[in-house]
């Protein structure tokens, strides 16, 4: 971390803390690189600090909300479930997407309490829908897990407790984890996933095909669903390689007796292509955008409307 001396640094500590900021930035970019301090680094650090302390209070203030995106059966357009996606309704900055604040929450312990809140909120919502909306009586709720939650002890007990408190059947919950989380510590993964499986909770591999994973794990871990990353689906029209990858993942899933969800379905063409491969489930703006709970409930209640869209009619 390099800082150029200037009279504005009145005390040595100010100079050192500027150098520290530059060093942190250098480490984040490239472990063996260097960075020269400039004021934008300071501005970014201040913004980050403000966001971080805001996030601490966000949950208490009710600024965190879940949106729900339908996961749709491609054969008949029925809603198989919803994925819960976190949003932060920031008082000044508007609605923030997870990419803006989840990495920050993951660097602190905040992700643990936020993750627990998400699980609880999503399970309660699904139970309520199952009671009120006949089309959702056997639907599942998908919840994303971060690596930090996975590594913390007691996740399985936490999930068990939340399911009981919410009266939700374990089979109505599916946890989404990425390949990198799965691969980080195979022993831990086996222990946690086996215990989740014993509870009866579903397990899906998120963004499948983009991470680093070993295929042998797919048969070793008690996974039940692969979610094909949206980047393959979106590139399917132009790119024959992407089409082959999608076809292969669907064949792999079939052989391993896993469910398969195509993510990021944005067009009729993509939907038709996935249908031609007998892909069972899809998710994407074309099938239904992430919506707040009330809108998602309405979307599900108007089942025929939704299935007509999903059939491309
Ligand atoms: P993900 O789990 O892969 O979620 C799918 C993302 O794709 C969502 O972005 C969704 O809004 C977006 N998406 C859905 N349909 C389409 C489409 O047709 N086209 C395109 N281009 N995108 C589509 P979002 O909501 O911004 O979430 C981003 C990521 O943040 C999620 O990726 C997930 O990894 C993470 N995330 C979201 N909620 C939570 C949470 O509660 N906890 C944790 N740990 N991570 C979360
Ligand atoms: Mg996901
Ligand atoms: Mg994904």
């Amino acid at each position: 971390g390099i800082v150029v001396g200037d009279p504005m640094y009145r005390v040595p500590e100010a100079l050192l803390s500027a150098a520290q900021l530059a060093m942190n930035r250098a480490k984040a970019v490239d472990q063996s690189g260097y960075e020269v301090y400039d004021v934008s680094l300071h501005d970014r650090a201040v913004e980050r600090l403000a966001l971080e302390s805001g996030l601490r209070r966000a949950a208490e203030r009710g600024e965190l909300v879940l949106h729900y995106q339908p996961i749709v059966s491609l054969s008949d357009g029925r809603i198989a479930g919803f994925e819960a996606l976190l949003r932060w309704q920031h008082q000044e900055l508007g609605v923030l997407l997870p990419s803006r604040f989840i990495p920050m929450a993951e660097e602190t312990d905040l992700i643990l309490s936020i993750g627990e809140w998400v699980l609880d909120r999503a399970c309660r919502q699904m139970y309520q829908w199952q009671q009120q909306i006949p089309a959702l009586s056997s639907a599942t709720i998908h919840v994303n897990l971060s690596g930090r939650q996975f590594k913390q002890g007691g996740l399985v007990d936490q999930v068990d407790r939340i399911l009981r408190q919410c009266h939700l059947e374990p089979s109505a919950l599916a946890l989404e984890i990425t390949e990198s989380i799965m691969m980080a510590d195979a022993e831990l993964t086996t222990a946690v996933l086996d215990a989740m499986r014993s509870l009866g909770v579903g397990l899906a591999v998120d963004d499948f095909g983009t991470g680093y994973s070993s295929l042998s794990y797919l048969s070793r871990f008690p996974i039940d669903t692969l979610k094909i990353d949206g980047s393959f689906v979106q590139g399917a029209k132009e790119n024959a390689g992407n089409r082959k990858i999608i076809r292969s993942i669907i064949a792999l899933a079939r052989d391993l007796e896993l469910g398969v969800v195509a993510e990021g379905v944005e067009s009729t063409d993509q939907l038709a292509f996935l249908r031609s491969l007998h892909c069972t489930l899809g998710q994407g703006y074309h099938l239904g955008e992430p919506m707040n709970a009330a809108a998602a409930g309405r979307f599900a209640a108007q089942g025929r409307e939704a299935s007509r869209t999903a059939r491309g009619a």
Side-chain angles (χ1 to χ4, degrees):
I2 299 170
V3 58
V4 179
D6 186 291
M8 74 174 185
Y9 301 108
R10 299 219 184 95
V11 290
E13 287 75 15
L15 199 64
L16 285 172
S17 87
Q20 176 98 38
L21 270 181
M23 185 187 71
N24 291 347
R25 174 83 193 139
K27 280 186 175 169
V29 172
D30 166 14
Q31 284 290 329
S32 60
Y34 63 87
E35 190 77 35
V36 182
Y37 176 83
D38 73 74
V39 274
S40 75
L41 282 177
H42 174 74
D43 294 347
R44 225 176 301 162
V46 169
E47 187 200 271
R48 212 196 116 103
L49 210 65
L51 266 188
E52 197 180 306
S53 62
L55 187 56
R56 273 181 205 286
R57 291 187 307 264
E60 299 150 27
R61 290 183 184 165
E63 291 174 8
L64 294 182
V65 291
L66 290 181
H67 280 192
Y68 300 89
Q69 185 174 35
I71 298 174
V72 177
S73 160
L74 297 187
S75 58
D76 58 15
R78 277 187 311 153
I79 297 175
F82 282 94
E83 177 171 6
L85 296 162
L86 188 58
R87 304 287 181 258
W88 178 6
Q89 287 173 328
H90 194 283
Q91 284 175 346
E92 284 130 38
L93 304 173
V95 177
L96 302 183
L97 294 174
S99 56
R100 256 317 262 294
F101 61 92
I102 292 232
M104 196 172 72
E106 280 175 336
E107 283 171 30
T108 61
D109 276 345
L110 270 177
I111 192 67
L112 301 180
S113 52
I114 292 175
E116 186 174 357
W117 178 85
V118 169
L119 266 168
D120 185 74
R121 191 75 211 91
C123 289
R124 269 177 216 288
Q125 184 62 65
M126 186 42 86
Y127 178 75
Q128 195 186 332
W129 279 334
Q130 286 185 340
Q131 305 307 304
Q132 293 171 354
I133 303 172
L136 295 182
S137 60
S138 57
T140 49
I141 184 79
H142 283 237
V143 174
N144 294 286
L145 282 188
S146 104
R148 287 288 309 280
Q149 285 171 282
F150 207 70
K151 271 184 256 157
Q152 96 182 285
L155 178 67
V156 180
D157 290 342
Q158 182 184 101
V159 169
D160 187 30
R161 176 176 50 77
I162 288 174
L163 285 169
R164 285 172 204 280
Q165 284 169 354
C166 302
H167 312 291
L168 190 70
E169 287 293 323
S171 60
L173 171 66
L175 298 174
E176 296 196 359
I177 50 173
T178 60
E179 290 164 284
S180 54
I181 296 177
M182 251 174 43
M183 298 299 295
D185 180 344
E187 233 169 89
L188 177 76
T189 303
T190 308
V192 175
L193 297 190
D194 282 348
M196 290 292 184
R197 167 50 64 89
S198 302
L199 279 185
V201 169
L203 298 164
V205 184
D206 207 351
D207 308 339
F208 186 73
T210 58
Y212 156 76
S213 73
S214 141
L215 292 180
S216 69
Y217 284 113
L218 289 184
S219 59
R220 200 192 320 154
F221 296 145
I223 296 296
D224 35 54
T225 302
L226 299 182
K227 296 192 78 177
I228 305 175
D229 190 69
S231 59
F232 297 117
V233 177
Q234 283 145 30
K237 192 168 185 188
E238 301 75 29
N239 188 325
N242 281 353
R243 290 197 294 277
K244 288 178 186 166
I245 290 171
I246 293 172
R247 197 173 293 133
S248 307
I249 298 176
I250 292 171
L252 178 74
R254 196 169 297 138
D255 280 352
L256 293 172
E257 296 177 4
L258 303 175
V260 58
V261 181
E263 296 192 85
V265 182
E266 290 183 350
S267 71
T268 320
D269 285 353
Q270 290 160 6
L271 184 60
F273 173 65
L274 292 164
R275 282 225 184 90
S276 74
L277 300 176
H278 304 289
C279 180
T280 42
L281 297 167
Q283 183 181 348
Y285 299 152
H286 184 68
L287 300 167
E289 300 198 4
M291 323 163 228
N292 65 33
R298 281 195 300 273
F299 185 89
Q302 304 158 350
R304 277 182 349 125
E305 194 72 15
S307 44
R308 228 176 283 141
T309 320
R311 276 198 299 273

